[in-house]
Amino acid sequence: QVQLVESGGGSVQAGGSLRLSCVASGISSNDVCMGWFRQRSGNQREGVAAIDSDGRVSYADSVKGRFTISQDNPDNTLYLSMNNLIPDDTGIYYCASVSRDLLFMDDILLGMTAIQALLNWGQGTQVTISS
């Protein structure tokens, strides 16, 4: 059974930085896509960034140039480095994983977003950005 445990959320002022971590366990496949999603108040959960086992990445337009997704395979840890944070980044951030063979789109973030019901999810970590 896949388990994803996020950490690193918190409260910072606009312009600040945070680094989220997600430790994964129970993933049996080597061909896995990992991603970060967020749910802002009053909005549906949305894709933020994704990475596949080859290191290919995909970002939402709203975070390009500010967020960086990375993974440490030996430690089974996924990261999201967030810089130049703005109040609109406030929300609950979730780590997610899925076997690549379930994706039917070339863009891995769009592909994961399209099949959210099939993803494995962490419990989420709160990120709050004050102006």
Side-chain angles (χ1 to χ4, degrees):
Q1 184 176 355
V2 175
Q3 286 192 322
L4 304 171
V5 180
E6 302 99 333
S7 62
S11 298
V12 297
Q13 289 189 324
S17 300
L18 284 172
R19 189 192 196 200
L20 305 183
S21 300
C22 171
V23 177
S25 61
I27 295 178
S28 58
S29 172
N30 289 326
D31 198 7
V32 172
C33 295
M34 303 284 296
W36 290 97
F37 288 71
R38 68 185 179 188
Q39 186 161 22
R40 296 178 287 179
S41 180
N43 294 342
Q44 292 185 329
R45 191 154 48 186
E46 60 182 347
V48 175
I51 188 169
D52 68 12
S53 54
D54 295 324
R56 293 188 306 166
V57 299
S58 177
Y59 295 96
D61 288 342
S62 60
V63 306
K64 281 181 181 177
R66 301 188 299 121
F67 291 11
T68 302
I69 189 171
S70 61
Q71 58 191 358
D72 185 345
N73 289 330
D75 290 339
N76 294 323
T77 303
L78 179 74
Y79 299 100
L80 184 68
S81 296
M82 306 184 293
N83 298 312
N84 196 20
L85 286 159
I86 60 177
D88 205 35
D89 293 321
T90 295
I92 301 173
Y93 284 69
Y94 298 90
C95 174
S97 72
V98 68
S99 178
R100 185 206 290 270
D101 60 10
L102 294 180
L103 268 62
F104 57 88
M105 302 175 72
D106 289 338
D107 184 285
I108 51 176
L109 183 60
L110 292 178
M112 291 182 72
T113 300
I115 57 168
Q116 289 191 47
L118 301 180
L119 305 185
N120 301 298
W121 294 99
Q123 82 286 355
T125 185
Q126 177 70 44
V127 171
T128 303
I129 312 303
S130 58
S131 58

